[in-house]
Amino acid sequence: MAVIDKSATRSDSAGREQIAVKNPLTGEVIGHIPVCTADDVRQAVARARAIQPAWNALSIRTRSNMLIRWTQLIAQREDESIAAIRRETGKNRIGAFEEMLVIDRTVAYYARHAPEWLRRKTRRPLLPFRHTARVYYKPYGVVGFITPWNYPLLNAFQDLIPALIAGNTVILKPSEITSLVALHMVDLMIQAGIPKDVVQVVTGAGSTGAALVDQVDYIAFTGSTATGRKIAMRAGERLIPCSLELGGKDPLIVLNDARLDLAASGTLAGSLENAGQVCIAVERVYVEAGIHDAFVERICHYAGQMNIGSGDGWDVHMGSMTNERELLRTEAHIADAVAKGATLVHGGKRRPDLGPLFFEPTILTNVNHTMDVMREETFGPIIPIMKVRDADEAIRLANDNQYGLSGAIFTKDLKRGEQLATRVESGDVHVNTTQWIFGVLSAPMGGVKNSGIGRRNGPEGLMRFVRTQSVVIDNQIGAWPMLALLDDGTLKLVRFLVNAMRRFPFLGP
Ligand code: NAD
């Protein structure tokens, strides 16, 4: 569908508008993508619908093997894949590698478990000797994916994998900022043997995404809460299912007994991964009074040791931000906090010497909940630290937010940490680490409150892409002609059975 036009023209031969794609590390234009029209999307969906029965007719193992082959190709061309991700996002090499790693393991995970989870299941009916009940799992058909720019491989493809394995065909509308990575990856899928209409990319911005929601049988969205709300409304009108992976403002709590250096360096890593442009970035830090000052000293110490730059080595801790929009919001949040009494204790400035969108790791103290930096998603390299009286106050403040994606608690007392974790209103919580939910592919991940609906990963991440069909069979053993579903004889039998089940619940449905 989308053809990369390297020329600088503003429309392609079919008259489609084109969007320039830039390298954040240099600001240079590296390609153009066409804005696919509603008609383009309609045609892509028609092709996906036409091939879906044939794709679904393949065994789960055959579909999985093609995806395994795809991950092998990505691994064989590691340098090329890493370069493609870095060119559009400006992130460091390790960050790009992490995306490949998660995708590789996601394919392996679902390839291993999907055959069992998607196998038809037998359920127990009220009259077990008379009836047989089975549940079948069927793909929705054509699933649409609308995805963001911050992890152009991981966020665009991680959910697509279980959808494909379940027998759906898919159409991806990647972010207009990082579409070249998506096109590159789909090209590798085709090389791995996946028929070309099974996975298609439609490039463009919001209008192309909206056209996709109008056509598909299921829409999986990852992006901002504002856009997610629009998509959910349209999905509601069309009565198609949707899942929404949205924004976050994740809290991290440091208790007095935490190991100081592990907590300080762990907070730094959880806040500054991908220059803070992570849905599950640590965006608020609550530190118990007894350890607060020492914690601030240690986190500033570690921030000062970070290697920031555009280099290609594994030793670069933080790369560039990706868009000017996030950089401007980062600066606005710092200015708002400082104007309301926050103290800037580290960073706070752009680094034009490194590239146009580099920003220093920034640490703020004396922050409170009147400040945007403690309420709104920043998506930048800021660590605002607030002193709290005790764990109860920390939990109350952690939950005082519209979002609920992830969270973290640092303490030496693992039992207490786990108990407190269950009081945080979020889809996942970490004790003594952050963001490792991405390393636990068997655990569901997703938001509560304004952070979204639905779960990725785990059995939940696969089963959302299938609908159930229950089949109830009367074996006609001991059956006789009846003019109603229950007659006197059957009613007596049902009564007897229900009474028995009341006394012996293990006999029940
Ligand atoms: P965004 O909402 O601006 O865009 C996301 C996608 O939606 C893009 O592909 C965009 O073109 C498309 N889009 C925009 N308007 C649309 C419309 N009206 N209809 C259909 N599609 C439309 O988000 P972004 O700036 O690309 O990404 C950053 C946001 O994504 C942050 O809020 C971040 O927290 C969130 N995010 C969440 C997760 C998660 O798993 N929860 C993961 C990554 C990012």
Side-chain angles (χ1 to χ4, degrees):
M1 166 58 48
V3 180
I4 309 166
D5 182 353
K6 298 267 179 191
S7 75
T9 54
R10 291 193 49 90
S11 58
D12 66 10
S13 55
R16 289 185 198 86
E17 190 195 331
Q18 295 207 325
I19 298 174
V21 179
K22 285 187 184 168
N23 180 342
L25 292 172
T26 59
E28 134 203 48
V29 173
I30 51 172
H32 286 79
I33 50 150
V35 176
C36 291
T37 62
D39 202 43
D40 292 329
V41 173
R42 209 169 296 120
Q43 287 176 31
V45 173
R47 286 193 295 273
R49 223 178 268 302
I51 201 171
Q52 191 268 334
W55 176 247
N56 189 38
L58 299 175
S59 70
I60 294 173
R61 202 160 298 287
T62 304
R63 293 196 291 268
S64 301
N65 283 342
M66 290 182 192
L67 285 164
I68 290 170
R69 176 85 194 112
W70 172 58
T71 55
Q72 285 166 348
L73 284 180
I74 298 175
Q76 277 164 18
R77 301 176 190 190
E78 183 179 306
D79 283 344
E80 197 186 322
S81 302
I82 285 178
I85 295 171
R86 295 196 65 234
R87 210 167 26 242
E88 268 179 316
T89 60
K91 66 176 63 183
N92 59 353
R93 187 180 187 86
I94 288 190
F97 179 75
E98 283 164 2
E99 295 200 45
M100 292 169 49
L101 190 64
V102 172
I103 289 298
D104 187 273
R105 293 298 82 204
T106 302
V107 170
Y109 173 70
Y110 284 118
R112 179 168 168 212
H113 295 288
E116 167 54 25
W117 292 337
L118 294 176
R119 200 171 47 80
R120 72 166 191 198
K121 305 288 184 305
T122 300
R123 298 283 169 90
R124 193 194 293 201
L126 184 60
L127 302 177
F129 51 88
R130 172 87 177 258
H131 294 145
T132 301
R134 295 231 169 75
V135 179
Y136 288 79
Y137 300 98
K138 296 182 163 183
Y140 277 102
V142 182
V143 178
F145 289 85
I146 301 177
T147 57
W149 46 265
N150 59 340
Y151 285 77
L153 171 58
L154 193 161
N155 272 328
F157 289 86
Q158 191 178 25
D159 298 329
L160 199 143
I161 291 160
L164 283 173
I165 288 182
N168 299 282
T169 49
V170 305
I171 305 208
L172 168 64
K173 207 302 281 171
S175 168
E176 53 276 33
I177 294 162
T178 52
S179 296
L180 303 184
V181 172
L183 290 164
H184 172 70
M185 291 300 163
V186 168
D187 191 39
L188 291 184
M189 279 184 162
I190 291 164
Q191 289 180 39
I194 297 177
K196 83 175 167 35
D197 289 342
V198 166
V199 185
Q200 297 174 73
V201 178
V202 289
T203 51
S207 60
T208 309
L212 189 61
V213 185
D214 283 346
Q215 295 292 325
V216 290
D217 304 315
Y218 182 113
I219 190 78
F221 173 76
T222 307
S224 66
T225 299
T227 310
R229 213 182 284 281
K230 288 184 202 160
I231 285 169
M233 283 165 69
R234 184 62 187 134
E237 276 171 7
R238 290 199 58 224
L239 284 182
I240 58 162
C242 68
S243 44
L244 307 168
E245 319 262 359
L246 308 179
K249 188 77 195 167
D250 293 347
L252 180 146
I253 296 169
V254 184
L255 299 182
N256 279 335
D257 72 341
R259 292 172 188 224
L260 188 57
D261 284 274
L262 293 184
S265 57
T267 303
L268 196 77
S271 301
L272 302 181
E273 155 71 16
N274 200 23
Q277 305 163 118
V278 189
C279 52
I280 57 169
V282 173
E283 291 221 358
R284 297 176 285 150
V285 183
Y286 302 98
V287 185
E288 265 194 298
I291 197 175
H292 176 271
D293 293 354
F295 177 84
V296 171
E297 188 278 316
R298 289 325 283 165
I299 197 167
C300 288
H301 163 79
Y302 284 113
Q305 293 190 350
M306 285 184 76
N307 179 11
I308 304 156
S310 58
D312 196 29
W314 296 103
D315 58 339
V316 177
H317 298 120
M318 194 178 100
S320 172
M321 295 186 74
T322 304
N323 307 309
E324 198 176 12
R325 184 183 66 179
E326 274 63 39
L327 192 148
L328 292 173
R329 190 168 57 229
T330 298
E331 290 180 322
H333 280 189
I334 294 170
D336 173 76
V338 171
K340 289 175 180 161
T343 311
L344 180 66
V345 292
H346 190 91
K349 292 193 300 294
R350 293 188 189 210
R351 289 291 303 271
D353 53 316
L354 300 174
L357 299 177
F358 277 86
F359 199 84
E360 291 176 333
T362 297
I363 301 173
L364 294 163
T365 56
N366 292 319
V367 293
N368 62 54
H369 278 210
T370 66
M371 300 170 184
D372 290 346
V373 76
M374 295 299 275
R375 305 205 69 83
E376 309 295 332
E377 186 177 48
T378 308
F379 235 52
I382 312 185
I383 310 175
I385 302 172
M386 183 169 176
K387 190 190 287 186
V388 293
R389 210 174 32 250
D390 54 24
D392 283 339
E393 185 180 33
I395 297 279
R396 184 180 62 73
L397 288 166
N399 291 337
D400 176 27
N401 197 269
Q402 59 167 314
Y403 295 112
L405 203 48
S406 187
I409 298 174
F410 276 77
T411 172
K412 249 189 245 157
D413 185 341
L414 302 186
K415 202 166 160 211
R416 182 165 180 241
E418 191 170 344
Q419 280 165 355
L420 289 170
T422 62
R423 290 173 55 195
V424 178
E425 293 166 0
S426 63
D428 60 76
V429 194
H430 298 78
V431 177
N432 291 331
T433 187
T434 65
Q435 298 192 21
W436 265 97
I437 185 74
F438 275 116
V440 192
L441 295 167
S442 52
M445 172 186 177
V448 301
K449 302 197 273 190
N450 282 351
S451 289
I453 297 172
R455 295 290 180 264
R456 61 162 44 149
N457 297 344
E460 294 84 351
L462 174 75
M463 302 316 278
R464 67 177 155 149
F465 292 121
V466 290
R467 57 189 168 79
T468 60
Q469 184 179 39
S470 302
V471 177
V472 181
I473 302 160
D474 189 324
N475 303 313
Q476 301 195 322
I477 297 167
W480 56 87
M482 284 169 39
L483 299 181
L485 278 177
L486 290 178
D487 69 358
D488 199 37
T490 321
L491 188 62
K492 278 193 184 119
L493 183 62
V494 167
R495 276 213 171 108
F496 170 79
L497 282 171
V498 170
N499 278 333
M501 286 174 202
R502 277 203 203 99
R503 293 182 60 198
F504 306 104
F506 64 90
L507 291 174

